[in-house]
């Protein structure tokens, strides 16, 4: 599955979820763990009287920024440059990777320590650099677990949440030589720490992503719980930040709105342990900011989907999503999983991700938890229409909906169906109804067919003279 | 008050007793009820599965059937949600706009329009878990969703409190989706069934004898799950309880 993310292979969410569900300990843990985060999030959100106003405000700040994005990007560039930072622009993933590689190779750097960044995942940067002889070390615990297991992150905030401690013990035993039989989380975290620390000393460069880029000051702000962004950004002499252009906010005074909500939404904690501001290169050092588009301007031009650029990547929509909790992030087959993945991934490749808008019950909980009020479930609904319009839907479904539409548009044909539906169901042998091809009957009993339809009852008991 | 009754296709075909309870209940509250005879469906199954264009005929027929009434009332939250929020395959002329604005789900009609909270004829001496479907909860505003920081309210509970002898139990995740989700229940069968199993186990764990809901489709799915798991849970539409069903 790891490699499928960067192929054209159509994602089969049903298949992925079936595998995940079949494994009881993993699905039960996954569901419970993420529900706990959602629960903690509720307590934090309900503890702030002005929470709903904060969401409004955050959404409005993002709308404003996105509708004036070019101006804020230029302001950011001016201020960052004035601070002594070198600013680069990358139109897509390939350009981003090339810029990073050029910066590193020009300075003879062969080891890069990096803190978690979904954007570099999106660009598939690690394999690119590794193919060119560089060592790239993830320093976030969850991301490191995924790197060592050669799997993409399954969650944007907690990348290895689908693994049990014993799975991590296996991965670490194989790769960094910890004791296979010891699955104590503290032991494993310490093992990873001992393995990773030397790289900070050795690395010629450090890299982070960016949670917020403040135009007014030219600052990159990162929020982490492990302090690994600070080590990555400050220990090596060369610092690179990868910044999605939608990460801009106008002023420092706006930061507080998002900081109050980011960690509360993500993990149900009031704030992340570290909120770090990267402004100027350290004495004798060098800083590079790369502003990356990679499809974002195109998304900004999409009437129905540009709001998705407001996303601050808190992961709350994933934690609350009943489908995500039961199918696991890897089943979405993309860099972004869950509800946000269902609306972002199709903007990258509609054909490949055409199944994702259907991996939702449209229950709307995602939209309600979203701190920037993205109408996620409405965008999912809209994507479904587009997926069908573009012909990315099975023949059977297309034809059955066409037929249903015809029958339901015609009272006479509908009566013929509805009066027969119950009888047809009653007359079919159980063996047929419960065969593996009948999706309903596989794991559920069917409703008992009634003796008559409501329509027939009404005709017999109320005003039969109206019968047409 | 004159109201038109909309009985969605799956209630018509599989759950006529819910249609009958809705009709009788509205009559008990003093409404004069008309059931337009040529009705079929609101178009939701097609819109929900992305085939909005195929919903045009059903939506046009819906407008034709219901354009002449002040109120259209239906015992199905998800269908009303479709009419209100996604009924866009058909031309948005004056008649369509009128129909969309005058279509109500039964609970909100009783609660917001008729403002009835007492059902002297009703008695339901059982332990009941309430299932708010996602469409009624988050789109029609039946109750306060747990995600939002807002003062709590619940229209179905306001109504059910007017029923003698009823006792409520609360599951641990009261407003998590049950996994029905329209065509989702078939196209995403593995997750759908798992969600349904988790839902009925949660209700049973809280001690529910009955699960009550304003959405029959969620109940059909949950009932199918409970029966397959061999659980003794029972399922009933809110219209049936309010109309005086005892079991
Ligand atoms: S869409 Fe909203 S809830 Fe989901 S990750 Fe982005 S900001 Fe968070």
């Amino acid at each position: 599955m790891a490699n499928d993310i960067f192929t054209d292979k159509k994602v089969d969410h049903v298949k992925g979820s079936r595998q995940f569900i079949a494994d009881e300990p993993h699905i039960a843990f996954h569901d419970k763990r993420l529900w706990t985060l959602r629960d903690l999030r509720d307590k934090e959100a309900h503890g702030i009287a002005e929470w709903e106003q904060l969401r409004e405000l955050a959404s409005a700040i993002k709308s404003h920024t996105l509708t004036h994005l070019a101006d804020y990007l230029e302001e950011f560039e001016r201020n960052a440059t004035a601070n002594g930072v070198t600013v680069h622009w990358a139109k897509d993933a390939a350009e981003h990777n090339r810029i990073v590689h050029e910066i590193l190779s020009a300075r003879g750097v062969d080891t890069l320590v990096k803190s978690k960044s979904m954007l570099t995942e999106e660009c598939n940067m690690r394999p690119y650099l590794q193919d060119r002889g560089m060592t790239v070390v993830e320093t976030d615990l969850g991301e490191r677990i995924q790197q060592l297991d050669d799997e993409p992150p399954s969650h944007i905030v907690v990348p290895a949440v689908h693994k049990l401690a014993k799975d991590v013990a296996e991965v670490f035993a194989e790769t960094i030589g910890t004791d296979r039989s010891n699955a104590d989380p503290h032991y494993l975290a310490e093992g990873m720490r001992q393995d990773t620390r030397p790289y900070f000393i050795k690395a010629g460069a450090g890299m982070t992503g960016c949670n917020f880029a403040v135009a007014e000051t030219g600052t990159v702000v990162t929020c982490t719980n492990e302090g690994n962004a600070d080590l990555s950004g400050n220990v090596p002499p060369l610092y690179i930040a990868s910044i999605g252009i939608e990460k801009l906010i106008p002023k420092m005074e706006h930061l507080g709105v998002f900081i109050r909500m980011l960690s509360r939404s993500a993990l149900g904690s009031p704030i992340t342990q570290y909120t770090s501001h990267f402004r100027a290169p350290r004495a004798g050092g060098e800083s590079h900011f790369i502003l990356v588009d990679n499809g974002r301007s195109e998304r900004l031009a999409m009437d129905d989907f540009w709001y998705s650029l407001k996303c601050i990547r808190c992961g709350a929509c994933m934690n609350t999503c009943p489908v995500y909790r039961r199918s696991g992030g890897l089943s979405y087959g993309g860099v972004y999983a869950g509800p946000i993945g269902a609306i972002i991934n199709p903007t990258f490749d509609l054909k490949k991700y055409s199944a994702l808008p259907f991996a939702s019950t449209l229950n709307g909980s995602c939209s309600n938890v979203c701190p920037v009020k993205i109408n996620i479930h409405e965008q999912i609904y809209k994507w479904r229409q587009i997926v069908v319009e573009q012909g990315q839907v099975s023949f059977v479904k297309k034809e059955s909906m066409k037929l249903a539409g015809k029958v339901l548009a015609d009272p006479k044909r509908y009566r013929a169906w509805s009066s027969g539906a119950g009888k047809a169901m009653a007359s079919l042998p159980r063996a047929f109804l419960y065969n593996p091809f009948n999706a309903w009957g596989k794991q559920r009993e069917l409703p008992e067919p009634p003796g008559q339809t409501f329509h027939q009852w009404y005709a017999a008991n109320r005003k039969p003279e109206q019968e047409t | 008050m004159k109201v038109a009754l909309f009985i969605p296709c799956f209630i018509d075909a599989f759950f006529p007793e819910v249609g009958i309870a809705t009709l009788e209940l509205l009559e008990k509250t003093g409404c004069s009820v008309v059931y337009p005879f040529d009705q079929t469906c609101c178009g939701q199954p097609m819109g929900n599965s992305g085939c909005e264009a195929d919903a045009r005929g059903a939506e046009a027929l819906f407008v034709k059937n219901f354009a002449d009434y002040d109120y259209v009332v239906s015992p199905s939250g998800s269908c009303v949600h479709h009419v209100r929020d996604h009924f866009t395959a058909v031309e948005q002329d004056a008649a369509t706009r009128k129909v969309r604005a005058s279509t109500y789900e039964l609970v909100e009609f009783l609660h917001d329009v008729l403002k009835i909270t007492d059902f002297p004829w009703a008695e339901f001496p059982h332990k009941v878990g309430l299932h708010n479907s996602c469409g009624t909860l988050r789109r029609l505003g039946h109750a306060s969703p747990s995600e939002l920081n807002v003062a709590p309210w619940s229209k179905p509970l306001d109504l059910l409190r007017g029923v003698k002898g009823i006792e409520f139990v609360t599951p641990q995740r009261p407003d998590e989706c049950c996994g029905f989700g329209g065509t989702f229940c078939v196209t995403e069968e593995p997750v759908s069934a798992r969600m349904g199993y988790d839902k009925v186990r949660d209700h049973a764990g809280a001690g529910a004898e009955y699960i009550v809901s304003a959405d029959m489709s969620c109940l059909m799915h949950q009932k199918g799950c409970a029966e397959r798991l061999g659980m003794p849970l029972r399922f009933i539409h809110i219209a049936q309880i309010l109309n005086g069903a005892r079991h």
Side-chain angles (χ1 to χ4, degrees), chain B residues 19-146:
Chain B
I20 296 167
T22 307
L23 172 67
E24 291 178 351
L25 174 62
L26 286 170
E27 287 172 343
K28 277 183 191 146
T29 62
C31 296
S32 109
V33 187
V34 181
Y35 171 70
F37 230 60
D38 280 345
Q39 58 179 283
T40 59
C41 162
C42 63
Q44 186 191 193
M46 288 74 79
N48 181 287
S49 52
C51 304
E52 199 183 26
D54 292 322
R56 193 165 298 132
E59 291 185 5
L61 180 65
F62 190 95
V63 174
K64 196 168 143 227
N65 278 319
F66 292 106
D68 294 335
Y69 301 95
D70 295 332
Y71 293 104
V72 182
V73 178
S74 178
S76 171
S78 67
C79 300
V80 173
H81 165 45
H82 179 79
V83 173
R84 207 169 280 171
D85 301 317
H86 291 143
F87 199 85
T88 48
V90 77
E91 196 198 330
Q92 301 296 302
D93 56 12
T96 303
R97 289 200 304 273
K98 176 170 183 283
V99 165
R100 292 182 68 180
S102 43
T103 300
Y104 287 79
E105 183 280 327
L106 177 66
V107 167
E108 55 178 15
F109 185 70
L110 295 170
H111 189 276
D112 300 350
V113 180
L114 299 182
K115 302 194 196 305
I116 302 178
T117 47
D118 201 21
F119 301 86
W121 53 80
E123 183 172 357
F124 200 71
H126 304 285
K127 283 188 179 161
V128 163
L130 173 66
H131 174 71
N132 283 317
S133 75
C134 302
T136 57
L137 176 71
R138 300 193 182 86
R139 305 325 296 167
L140 302 184
H142 263 199
S144 46
S146 57

Side-chain angles (χ1 to χ4, degrees), chain A residues 156 310-318 340 366 369-372 374 376:
Chain A
I156 60 178
K310 294 180 181 179
C311 178
I312 59 171
R313 307 279 191 261
C314 68
C317 57
M318 305 162 93
I340 183 64
C366 46
V369 294
C370 179
V372 288
I374 298 173
I376 305 172

Side-chain angles (χ1 to χ4, degrees), chain A residues 38 325-326 384 408 443, chain B residues 12 40 48 146 176 185 197:
Chain A
R38 155 75 211 275
R325 272 188 271 112
R326 288 171 182 85
R384 290 187 182 182
L408 293 168
Q443 299 193 69
Chain B
D12 176 41
T40 59
N48 181 287
S146 57
E176 172 150 289
C185 70
Y197 286 2

Side-chain angles (χ1 to χ4, degrees), chain A residues 48-63:
Chain A
I48 293 183
E50 66 276 25
W51 182 259
E52 298 303 328
Q53 284 102 300
L54 277 177
R55 291 177 71 219
E56 282 293 340
L57 191 54
S59 181
I61 295 169
K62 280 286 183 182
S63 283

